[in-house]
Amino acid sequence: MQHSVVQPHDFVGLRLASDSLKVIQIAPNTALTEPRSERNVSIGKFGSFPANRILSRPYHVTYEILDKQPGHSHAELRIVTAAELHESVIADSSSTPSDAAESRLLDGGDGVEYEVVGENGEVVMRTNRQTIDDPTRQRLSMEEIETLKKDSTGGGKDIIAKLMSSHSALDQKTTFSLAKYTLRKTKKYLRRFTILPLDVPLLTQWITMDREPLKILECKDETMSLINSWANVHYCGDEGHSMDDIANMTGSGRWLIIDETGGLLVASIAERMGILLPPRDDDEAEDSDMYSPPERRKSLPYATGDGDTPDQVLEAILPKRRRQRPPVAAMSATHNTITLIHANAQPNLSLLKYFHYETNTPNPSHPLHAHLKTVSWLQLLAPEEDMGYAEPPEIDEETLQSFKSGKRATHYRKRRRWQRVKSVVDETRNGGFDGLIVASNMPPGSILQHTVPLLRGSAPVVVYSPTIEPLVELADLYSTSRRTAFVTAKAEGISLPQEDFPVNPTHLLAPVVQTVRLRPWQCLPGRTHPVMTGKGGAEGFLFTATRVIPADGKVEARGKFKRRKINEEQNGKPIVSLADGMDDEMEVINNDSWAGSP
């Protein structure tokens, strides 16, 4: 569950007035020296503010950076009210056009404004076709604008007002053109930002628009949502089961993942499963402070300013003491788990740091510490060749007692690591997973060759690729024609070449290749078109199928037959004949054995 207030060391998203996104970590200042050296949060040309000013504040609040006052070492923040945020919309809905505008403009009934031109009274649509975009129409020079930016007050609103008043052709603009001009200047000069909680969709949007989308295989937010939907990712509880029952469990919430997006796919799946964020016991106490009476909020240290005492600062910034939980063993969960297969010595999960999980130094209280399991391809395909799977030599108790404490601790640590690796590898090789999700640059056929047999019956399979060509080849490997040829050759005892049949086409049913892409459009009467500043990149495609377990041997059907009448026509005349039929009672007999989905 996402926290409702900003916590120390949290990663948050700052939505600026220019619609750009900035992801930062809120590092509190705990220095008690006088004067305090604040840890400022910089947002570029809009200025900076102390990080302590937004701690324990709720999300989705818009702030305005005020001017630095004399005698203060930093700028203060002001909360922008909802009425101020939507004042332009309220003004437009309550205002009425003037008589002059009414006499000059006519409504065509479809929401398009028309302007009367010519002597005959003909009407044409009002456009900016005759407007000349001349830089000299703005009477303020660049030097004067820079001076205004340095000496401005009111969060940049005075600069916008002077720019609007200094434009010589402002009256020639249409209503829509004037609104776009005002919005463009507002995004450029207004010093406002909104604090947003950093979740997977926001992180995906930030990486796609402002970072390197190739590191996440150019996966969009809407594609990530479709992956979770087709894979049926959901929360399945935390009830414990023995290792012998794991392979026979149905709906235990165990997903097999191949992720080469830096951990973004794992984070999206963990968010749906409810194991992405660490739990915190002090959320309710902090929320009660935020919704307390105004006089109580004013007395809180984060809401006052420079007059705080050191004890008040520490009380507001440092986390409260909470009950110690018993330590949880790594990769020990049997329900609601994610098993990640990777190709390197360590998995690349760098993006999980934005959700307080470091793979090198994991936090034992984080849910991913017990619910995220990692297995290398070498451990999955040839575990006897992996050094971590080899059992360390056993040492009797008398010899251990003669060792020094450091050497004895090293022995116990090696034994625990071996037991953990062996348990995870054996559990993965036993199979019984509830779904398979792949986002990799590797050929998908080679991946599914070894991972599809590890799924239970009716498990969904989802493969993501930035381009469609690998998925088309994969769909051909599981096509109906290949399945028919495979079954026929198997029944006749004909051996098939491995090059033509690298996978068993009878293991997956109903393969489909699809795509989804969200494209924003500008929807205005007579001016409807896609937004021209949209982000390009790969389209992104999905391969979806369902795991099935084919029957072994010959299947026969036997039941109780009865005579029934059938109306037929011969040479245009009705003929009544008798035919053998079968009633609803049927018995399926398998000569050898039959395995269906559990």
Side-chain angles (χ1 to χ4, degrees), residues 202-313:
L202 193 67
L203 181 62
T204 305
Q205 179 185 356
W206 177 60
I207 297 176
T208 303
M209 300 300 295
D210 300 331
R211 290 304 180 209
E212 300 181 28
L214 292 177
K215 290 187 176 181
I216 60 172
L217 302 182
E218 299 185 86
C219 187
K220 309 296 190 300
D221 179 33
E222 56 271 16
T223 306
M224 195 70 70
S225 302
L226 193 63
I227 290 174
N228 285 277
S229 298
W230 276 108
N232 193 24
V233 179
H234 59 281
Y235 174 75
C236 296
D238 296 314
E239 292 81 3
H241 290 270
S242 62
M243 294 296 299
D244 297 334
D245 299 334
I246 287 180
N248 299 323
M249 289 189 297
T250 301
S252 57
R254 301 171 58 240
W255 275 269
L256 191 63
I257 310 298
I258 293 91
D259 181 13
E260 292 186 8
T261 63
L264 185 66
L265 181 61
V266 172
S268 178
I269 297 172
E271 188 177 41
R272 290 282 293 264
M273 299 172 65
I275 57 176
L276 181 59
L277 295 175
R280 292 179 179 173
D281 296 336
D282 53 338
D283 286 345
E284 296 182 359
E286 293 172 355
D287 291 345
S288 62
D289 286 341
M290 295 310 304
Y291 296 100
S292 57
E295 56 272 8
R296 166 62 181 155
R297 293 200 301 267
K298 292 180 180 179
S299 64
L300 293 176
Y302 50 73
T304 55
D306 298 329
D308 305 337
T309 63
D311 295 337
Q312 289 176 325
V313 174

Side-chain angles (χ1 to χ4, degrees), residues 174-191:
T174 63
T175 304
F176 181 69
S177 176
L178 179 60
K180 287 207 306 184
Y181 179 81
T182 307
L183 182 61
R184 186 166 63 250
K185 298 305 177 184
T186 300
K187 290 181 178 181
K188 186 174 182 179
Y189 295 106
L190 205 59
R191 300 200 300 263

Side-chain angles (χ1 to χ4, degrees), residues 29 32 36 52 301 308-318:
N29 173 47
L32 303 181
R36 299 200 307 267
N52 290 2
D308 305 337
T309 63
D311 295 337
Q312 289 176 325
V313 174
L314 289 178
E315 181 183 358
I317 296 176
L318 295 181

